[in-house]
Amino acid sequence: MNKFLGLSIFLFSLYSCTSARKHNEHINTEITVKDLHRDIEFAKKKLLTKHVDLDWYYSKNEISNRIDSFKKSVNYPMKPNDFSREFSRVVASLGHGHTHVTALSTRFEKEEKKKYKKSKGPIGLLQFKSIDNRLLLEKSFSKDTTIAINSEVLAVNDIKYQDFYTQYKDFRKGDGYISTFQKHYYGRYFSGYLSRELKPQDSLILTLKKNDSIFTQIVKREYTKKEKIVKDSIKKDSVKSDKNIQPKKLTKDEKLIAQNKAKHKREINKSFAYQKSSKSYLRELQFPVSNDSTIAVLKIKTFTAGYHKKAYKFIFDSIQKHNVQHLILDIRNNGGGYPTDINHLYSFLTTRNEPQMVIKNDVKVNSKTAKSALNFRNPNIISHTLFLPFFIGNSINDFFKTHKKDNEYYYKVNSKKQLLNEENKYKGNLYVLTNGLSYSASSIIAASLQNEEKAIFVGEETGGDYNGTVAGQTDFYKLPNSKIKLGIGMMTFTPNTSRDLKGRGVIPNIPIDLTFEDLLQQKDPQLEWILKDIERKKE
């Protein structure tokens, strides 16, 4: 048995090394025109037959013609990632922001895995932010404190950001006819692009610009160092043993205070979703005006943080205790997340005093088996063997939660437990900050709140459609020759409201653009307008 297990591990390791090598070679191999055409036809068929509500913005006939036109333009061999970039523009033009084409990333081979074990590459130590064709070095997680954050990035090694932007412009868009999404998106994508182009690096050279001065800085790979425990030999007759040093005994009251403090800290870290790696929170409650707790900013960076049910109870209890009269909900750069998360947040902000949900309970799917079959679309030998009863049960459950209505299929995403009517609703003035990266679930909760006319929206049009989005779980189809993947959203999520204006996001009452100069100077004109408006109302 042990010999068989050892042989299995050896063969798996050998296969992994060979597989990684072949994968990396494939990335740099040009695909013939004939094979690229086959991939385009494969993707076209999947889009036309598997994509729910594909014709929301353009007819299927027009979509088919666009893909055919692209196919005719492909008349020379391309490497997989070059093909991915060009085909992405076609897919992005269809108006479904979640539907996208992936690129292939380099895989570590055995030697590289060993070399870079317990380390963080220089790209992973940097966080970028962009507005159109300009890039900001927003954060550095490096131990090197001299790295000039809030500088404009001109190049990384020999890759100029302007060249990248020109090459990739319009390869990814938001929903419908919205243009604000791509204004902010490229900074997020640039890190992944660098990882693919530069391969594993021990250091990077940044070309930066700050205050009209152009300079370079080096960012190095960082390794996790194990602390060495050095045991000093101490003579018993010269120094007292540590065993003789007794820790201070706490009284019952002191123990209780310490326990309550620790419990409160754990509750804060859970509720505000503390991230140990970046030493930051995914949910933040800030008071922007000194000595004035009546004005608060609730910044939510993502709706995927988890623990949301208890988190929002804790957060809005804090808001009530601070007697907040003016709440600013900041969902800028929030790309969305779980429907249950926005549902719990919405239950504290809605003006309606009745059990309800932020999204419609029935979401449209492509077929009766679309959701249930997804459990076995890309099976994993180990997990699907060990947890086979779970996958079967989940598939049966998904099958019976899908029903037919008016010749269309719908899936029930929520149970009656999601019909919420929180007692501790926030009843003060509400402002909502949005931009082009307020997307997916962020757009849905924004649409529901705007429909109630309680909040004043400030900033930019959301990147997600007011009327909903095709999202949920993504089904990936690997194109047979290039091996890149086409990701298709499985479900049409819609808010508990709708409007006649088609293909546009939540449009702010007070439109204020953020410029790159604002980023450089660390200004926030959108938040500043709200604070001034609050002061005017107080007067």
Side-chain angles (χ1 to χ4, degrees):
M1 182 67 182
N2 289 335
K3 288 182 179 180
F4 175 76
L5 183 62
L7 180 62
S8 299
I9 294 171
F10 171 75
L11 291 174
F12 179 76
S13 176
L14 186 65
Y15 169 77
S16 298
C17 294
T18 307
S19 177
R21 195 175 299 114
K22 283 185 177 181
H23 173 84
N24 295 339
E25 288 173 356
H26 174 73
I27 292 175
N28 294 305
T29 302
E30 289 188 337
I31 313 298
T32 65
V33 172
K34 188 176 181 180
D35 283 342
L36 291 175
H37 284 182
R38 286 172 177 165
D39 278 4
I40 295 168
E41 283 298 322
F42 176 88
K44 175 184 172 182
K45 183 179 179 181
K46 295 301 179 186
L47 283 167
L48 293 173
T49 59
K50 301 294 184 182
H51 199 300
V52 61
D53 282 328
L54 179 65
D55 55 356
W56 248 19
Y57 307 108
Y58 304 99
S59 69
K60 286 190 176 182
N61 186 53
E62 185 175 350
I63 289 169
S64 182
N65 289 338
R66 285 189 192 183
I67 297 172
D68 289 342
S69 178
F70 171 68
K71 180 182 172 182
K72 289 178 182 177
S73 72
V74 177
N75 51 21
Y76 56 91
M78 280 189 269
K79 293 179 181 179
N81 286 345
D82 293 332
F83 173 59
S84 169
R85 180 188 64 240
E86 299 306 315
F87 192 33
S88 287
R89 288 194 176 92
V90 181
V91 173
S93 74
L94 308 183
H96 295 281
H98 287 85
T99 300
H100 65 286
V101 180
T102 67
L104 299 178
S105 298
T106 304
R107 293 177 185 171
F108 277 175
E109 295 185 25
K110 186 178 179 180
E111 296 78 12
E112 291 172 321
K113 283 183 180 179
K114 187 176 180 181
K115 180 181 178 181
Y116 296 122
K117 188 178 180 182
K118 294 184 179 180
S119 73
K120 196 160 189 179
I123 297 171
L125 296 171
L126 305 173
Q127 183 172 305
F128 302 109
K129 197 171 188 177
S130 66
I131 289 185
D132 292 325
N133 62 340
R134 299 182 73 181
L135 184 70
L136 182 83
L137 178 56
E138 184 184 25
K139 289 181 182 178
S140 167
F141 304 109
S142 171
K143 294 174 184 175
D144 183 356
T145 56
T146 65
I147 293 173
I149 58 173
N150 297 314
S151 300
E152 182 174 5
V153 181
L154 302 180
V156 178
N157 284 7
D158 58 349
I159 297 176
K160 295 179 181 178
Y161 181 71
Q162 284 286 350
D163 293 342
F164 158 79
Y165 179 80
T166 302
Q167 196 175 31
Y168 277 82
K169 189 179 180 183
D170 294 332
F171 93 108
R172 190 81 190 263
K173 296 182 179 180
D175 290 335
Y177 320 119
I178 302 165
S179 61
T180 54
F181 178 84
Q182 55 265 43
K183 174 182 176 181
H184 301 276
Y185 178 73
Y186 296 99
R188 289 191 172 191
Y189 187 78
F190 190 57
S191 294
Y193 172 78
L194 290 175
S195 297
R196 289 191 297 274
E197 291 297 309
L198 297 177
K199 312 300 186 295
Q201 298 282 315
D202 288 320
S203 63
L204 292 176
I205 300 174
L206 301 178
T207 303
L208 305 172
K209 182 180 180 181
K210 195 166 190 175
N211 300 327
D212 296 324
S213 175
I214 296 176
F215 56 97
T216 60
Q217 284 192 310
I218 296 174
V219 183
K220 296 180 179 179
R221 178 178 291 274
E222 294 183 358
Y223 290 84
T224 305
K225 292 182 179 179
K226 292 182 179 179
E227 294 182 4
K228 294 182 179 179
I229 301 172
V230 181
K231 293 183 179 180
D232 296 322
S233 56
I234 303 171
K235 293 182 180 180
K236 291 181 181 180
D237 57 347
S238 60
V239 181
K240 289 183 179 180
S241 171
D242 287 344
K243 292 180 181 179
N244 295 328
I245 301 173
Q246 298 295 326
K248 180 186 174 183
K249 287 187 177 180
L250 299 176
T251 64
K252 285 185 178 181
D253 289 341
E254 287 174 331
K255 282 182 180 179
L256 186 62
I257 291 170
Q259 287 171 358
N260 287 336
K261 280 184 177 180
K263 183 180 178 181
H264 185 67
K265 187 176 180 180
R266 287 195 300 271
E267 190 68 24
I268 287 174
N269 286 346
K270 279 186 177 181
S271 297
F272 292 98
Y274 180 70
Q275 302 297 292
K276 196 173 181 180
S277 58
S278 60
K279 296 180 181 178
S280 63
Y281 294 90
L282 297 179
R283 303 183 187 105
E284 295 175 352
L285 186 62
Q286 303 165 338
F287 299 92
V289 180
S290 299
N291 302 317
D292 188 354
S293 64
T294 65
I295 303 172
V297 178
L298 176 56
K299 184 175 181 62
I300 303 177
K301 300 175 184 178
T302 178
F303 290 116
T304 61
Y307 196 69
H308 42 78
K309 185 177 180 180
K310 291 183 178 179
Y312 290 126
K313 284 185 181 292
F314 181 86
I315 289 169
F316 280 90
D317 182 56
S318 299
I319 286 171
Q320 188 179 57
K321 286 177 179 177
H322 282 89
N323 192 30
V324 173
Q325 302 298 313
H326 309 277
L327 180 63
I328 304 162
L329 175 63
D330 187 353
I331 51 174
R332 292 174 296 181
N333 306 309
N334 184 329
Y338 307 132
T340 49
D341 192 315
I342 58 170
N343 199 47
H344 278 100
L345 174 59
Y346 176 72
S347 68
F348 285 95
L349 297 173
T350 180
T351 57
R352 299 170 182 169
N353 190 26
E354 59 184 2
Q356 60 183 311
M357 290 181 286
V358 70
I359 61 171
K360 292 179 181 176
N361 192 24
D362 284 350
V363 298
K364 195 174 176 183
V365 292
N366 192 52
S367 67
K368 176 71 175 176
T369 58
K371 189 73 171 59
S372 59
L374 194 60
N375 290 285
F376 294 94
R377 269 272 296 121
N378 296 294
N380 178 283
I381 295 174
I382 297 174
S383 62
H384 277 72
T385 300
L386 292 175
F387 303 105
L388 184 60
F390 168 80
F391 285 106
I392 292 174
N394 208 33
S395 290
I396 293 171
N397 182 52
D398 287 341
F399 181 82
F400 284 107
K401 285 175 73 175
T402 305
H403 61 281
K404 195 173 185 179
K405 183 173 66 176
D406 300 328
N407 291 321
E408 302 286 359
Y409 288 96
Y410 294 87
Y411 177 81
K412 286 188 177 181
V413 290
N414 291 321
S415 64
K416 290 182 179 179
K417 291 180 181 179
Q418 295 299 320
L419 285 165
L420 304 176
N421 187 21
E422 285 294 339
E423 294 180 1
N424 189 25
K425 287 186 178 71
Y426 172 72
K427 296 176 182 175
N429 295 323
L430 179 64
Y431 296 84
V432 182
L433 282 164
T434 61
N435 69 358
L437 287 182
S438 302
Y439 187 64
S440 194
S442 291
S443 298
I444 289 174
I445 188 172
S448 295
L449 290 173
Q450 191 177 63
N451 177 59
E452 295 184 18
E453 299 182 346
K454 174 184 179 179
I456 296 175
F457 282 74
V458 180
E460 301 171 355
E461 180 180 1
T462 61
D465 193 331
Y466 180 104
N467 287 327
T469 187
V470 177
Q473 288 176 279
T474 301
D475 201 358
F476 286 96
Y477 297 92
K478 184 188 286 187
L479 277 56
N481 299 295
S482 61
K483 308 301 181 187
I484 62 175
K485 292 180 180 179
L486 171 67
I488 297 176
M490 296 290 294
M491 298 172 273
T492 302
F493 285 88
T494 52
N496 58 16
T497 181
S498 63
R499 69 176 184 201
D500 293 333
L501 182 61
K502 185 180 178 182
R504 295 294 300 275
V506 176
I507 299 170
N509 306 96
I510 309 296
I512 300 173
D513 279 341
L514 189 71
T515 68
F516 192 76
E517 293 304 319
D518 291 327
L519 290 183
L520 285 174
Q521 296 171 28
Q522 300 180 62
K523 290 183 177 179
D524 190 344
Q526 297 161 343
L527 177 60
E528 287 172 9
W529 184 92
I530 293 175
L531 296 177
K532 287 178 182 177
D533 188 59
I534 292 171
E535 285 303 311
R536 284 194 294 268
K537 287 177 178 176
K538 282 183 176 181
E539 293 172 0

